[in-house]
Amino acid sequence: MTVTPIFRSIRDPIGSAARWAVVSVPAHLSARGMAVPVWAALLLPAIALLPLASPWASYILAPVFALAAGLRLAALVGLFLPKPKEPPPLADADLPAVTVLVPLFREAAVMPDLVAAVARLDYPARLLEVMLLLEEADTATITAARAHAPAGWRTIVVPPGSPQTKPRACNVGLALAGGDVVVVFDGEDRPDPDQPRRAAAALAADTRLAVVQAKLGCDHAGRGSPIVTRLWALEYAALFGAVLPVLSRLGLPFLLGGTSNWFRAEALRQAGGWDAHNVTEDADLGVRLARLGWRSGTIDSTTWEEAPLRAGVWVRQRARWFKGFAVTAIVHAREPRRTMRELGPAGTVALLAQLPVSLLCTAAHPLGIGLALGGDLSGALGGLLLLGYASAVALHAAAAPRAGLPVWLALLLPFYWVLHNVALLLALSDLVRDPAHWRKTPHGKVERNTTAACSHYVLANPAVSSNHLAAPDLLVALPQATHSRGCTAAPIELERTLTQKESQ
């Protein structure tokens, strides 16, 4: 793969970075200039619903449902296997320099919490470079950044350009980054403090590892929260807590999440960074890294995110994801033989299950509803549909308690998937009109549960939590140290507080 080399002008480093950002990925692996005709966008639902018109079409969808069910069952089994042993932590002298990229657009409200979240990271300040990537027209966020960002942070104002997308801003940051490791956080993210050290240790232990993905979770999906928020959190619990870890364990490629991916800078630059024209740049980058022979892994550390509170916001966010998955599938299907050769048989099957198969299963949900209402679930197709639904419900039911969610939520999935169909139709419409259009998800709309997130970190780390559950007064002391907005106590300070309590 030949990528466009980064050119940094001494006179205009940001301008030259912005010019590189839109052409960093080779044309045959990029979505730039993509035009999707209406008939092509309609192929997906047409194929998914074809068995309603012709029984022989069941043979087309049977392998699709079988592959989807196989991935879910593998993830379900993985939940009950012992966790892989983590590499030992690195000494401070061996830690790599890290660049934190935070692309922001219309997110002035989250700036104070963002500063507090990054400040909690347990990593030497001298090795941490933080870049806020802001759009020139977004004066409110620029003003908030200048008011709240610490003196050592870099505020990069990205020049106007097309497309105005998150990956374009990230590429500007990559061109200017000085770290050996590059991580992307969203403005509303609250990563566990241990995350950078775990990522550094994992990357150091395996030289073929290009990236490690942290878990993503929701810290405001408790009792009383909107049902769409709780189901969003349940999906994340199954995806980041079960599906991605089992693919990582098997050495198979997977689609990266849009945040908290810790990249080896060398691998990221070899891949050309992110495709500025793909609205799921994370998923696409995971595929390109795999095609280059790099591996992706996961780490057992969580970043807490803000989930949609309303169905309308959820639909627009999911439509962007579905559109990006479709674009990624189209891009990597341009040269199918080459793609399959570079991924290998197992890698090809793994990515088929996550991209076109996943989209086909979403599109086929009305077929399942039709067969169920008609009472005709006999035959191979009906059996595979039942297996697909049963495996999905079982996986999410098993993942729910691990995320602090009730098991009964999994029973609502068939109703929740109707929303997926609405989002898919919107995605296909957007795919025809403008494949690179970015449907922005608003953040800063909810009062976040900081105590839950911080307590989760403390109680998940033996060095901090050992023996503390046996002392009732410690359970009172812990929220006092963590309940302030932003949970400013660092993990070492929390450990010191608890240790002092034990000695009293």
Side-chain angles (χ1 to χ4, degrees):
M1 179 190 300
T2 302
V3 300
T4 305
I6 299 175
F7 173 73
R8 282 184 283 194
S9 166
I10 297 177
R11 292 184 177 180
D12 184 19
I14 297 177
S16 62
R19 290 188 289 274
W20 172 80
V22 296
V23 295
S24 63
V25 177
H28 70 287
L29 291 175
S30 171
R32 64 178 175 270
M34 177 180 288
V36 179
V38 175
W39 66 266
L42 293 177
L43 275 179
L44 182 68
I47 293 172
L49 301 179
L50 201 57
L52 292 177
S54 177
W56 66 264
S58 300
Y59 294 105
I60 299 176
L61 289 181
V64 169
F65 297 146
L67 186 54
L71 177 59
R72 292 165 184 160
L73 291 173
L76 179 61
V77 171
L79 277 176
F80 298 97
L81 295 176
K83 290 184 178 180
K85 187 177 179 180
E86 293 189 16
L90 300 176
D92 281 9
D94 298 324
L95 290 172
V98 172
T99 296
V100 179
L101 302 181
V102 189
L104 300 170
F105 181 58
R106 297 202 299 259
E107 294 186 280
V110 305
M111 191 61 65
D113 283 349
L114 169 64
V115 172
V118 175
R120 288 194 303 271
L121 294 178
D122 178 20
Y123 210 73
R126 60 184 174 81
L127 296 176
L128 207 59
E129 175 188 45
V130 181
M131 284 191 196
L132 301 178
L133 304 167
L134 314 177
E135 299 294 336
E136 188 174 293
D138 186 9
T139 55
T141 307
I142 293 173
T143 301
R146 289 172 177 164
H148 296 284
W153 289 20
R154 299 177 64 183
T155 299
I156 308 298
V157 178
V158 179
S162 181
Q164 182 181 302
T165 57
K166 172 184 172 181
R168 175 177 175 263
C170 286
N171 276 344
V172 171
L174 176 61
L176 304 172
D180 302 307
V181 173
V182 177
V183 61
V184 177
F185 286 131
D186 288 336
E188 82 279 12
D189 285 354
R190 292 179 179 175
D192 283 345
D194 66 350
Q195 202 169 114
R197 288 184 180 269
R198 289 195 178 203
L203 292 171
D206 185 349
T207 58
R208 292 307 302 166
L209 199 59
V211 58
V212 287
Q213 171 72 61
K215 293 180 179 178
L216 303 181
C218 175
D219 58 9
H220 57 96
R223 184 178 301 175
S225 59
I227 195 68
V228 70
T229 301
R230 304 178 81 182
L231 286 167
W232 186 96
L234 180 62
E235 278 188 293
Y236 265 42
L239 177 62
F240 292 97
V243 176
L244 299 193
V246 81
L247 290 171
S248 173
R249 183 190 288 254
L250 295 172
L252 297 174
F254 55 82
L255 307 182
L256 299 173
T259 176
S260 305
N261 7 71
W262 297 77
F263 295 96
R264 193 184 303 274
E266 169 197 354
L268 185 55
R269 292 191 173 100
Q270 184 185 346
W274 297 268
D275 182 8
H277 307 265
N278 192 319
V279 296
T280 50
E281 74 293 338
D282 38 20
D284 169 69
L285 180 53
V287 180
R288 280 190 285 116
L289 287 169
R291 292 183 62 174
L292 285 169
W294 289 97
R295 290 186 57 251
S296 301
T298 58
I299 53 174
D300 191 13
S301 180
T302 303
T303 292
W304 303 95
E305 291 204 289
E306 182 178 334
L309 298 176
R310 301 191 307 274
V313 175
W314 183 98
V315 166
R316 290 190 291 274
Q317 181 189 66
R318 193 58 55 100
R320 172 165 58 84
W321 295 356
F322 282 155
K323 180 176 69 170
F325 292 161
V327 167
T328 301
I330 292 170
V331 165
H332 293 282
R334 286 170 174 165
E335 300 175 295
R337 289 186 179 180
R338 180 176 176 180
T339 301
M340 293 173 65
R341 183 176 66 252
E342 292 172 348
L343 292 173
T348 299
V349 171
L351 288 172
L352 282 174
Q354 296 169 76
L355 280 171
V357 164
S358 176
L359 290 171
L360 274 170
C361 286
T362 299
H365 185 49
L367 173 64
I369 294 175
L371 291 176
L373 292 179
D376 182 15
L377 291 174
S378 59
L381 183 62
L384 284 171
L385 274 170
L386 285 176
L387 177 62
Y389 284 126
S391 60
V393 171
L395 171 61
H396 287 78
R402 291 166 170 81
L405 296 167
V407 173
W408 59 260
L409 273 178
L411 299 176
L412 301 182
L413 287 175
F415 305 97
Y416 180 56
W417 290 333
V418 174
L419 270 184
H420 284 68
N421 288 116
V422 175
L424 182 61
L425 291 175
L426 180 57
L428 295 176
S429 172
D430 284 353
L431 184 63
V432 173
R433 292 187 297 173
D434 187 355
H437 173 64
W438 191 281
R439 285 187 177 272
K440 169 68 178 168
T441 303
H443 295 131
K445 303 296 183 183
V446 62
E447 188 70 24
R448 305 280 292 280
N449 187 351
T450 55
T451 303
C454 294
S455 300
H456 174 275
Y457 167 74
V458 175
L459 298 177
N461 286 270
V464 178
S465 61
S466 178
N467 300 322
H468 296 150
L469 290 178
D473 59 331
L474 296 182
L475 295 179
V476 176
L478 180 59
Q480 288 176 348
T482 61
H483 194 269
S484 61
R485 184 164 177 80
C487 180
T488 55
I492 296 175
E493 294 170 337
L494 289 170
E495 182 176 359
R496 187 181 300 118
T497 300
L498 295 171
T499 303
Q500 289 171 349
K501 270 286 186 181
E502 280 188 322
S503 64
Q504 293 176 356

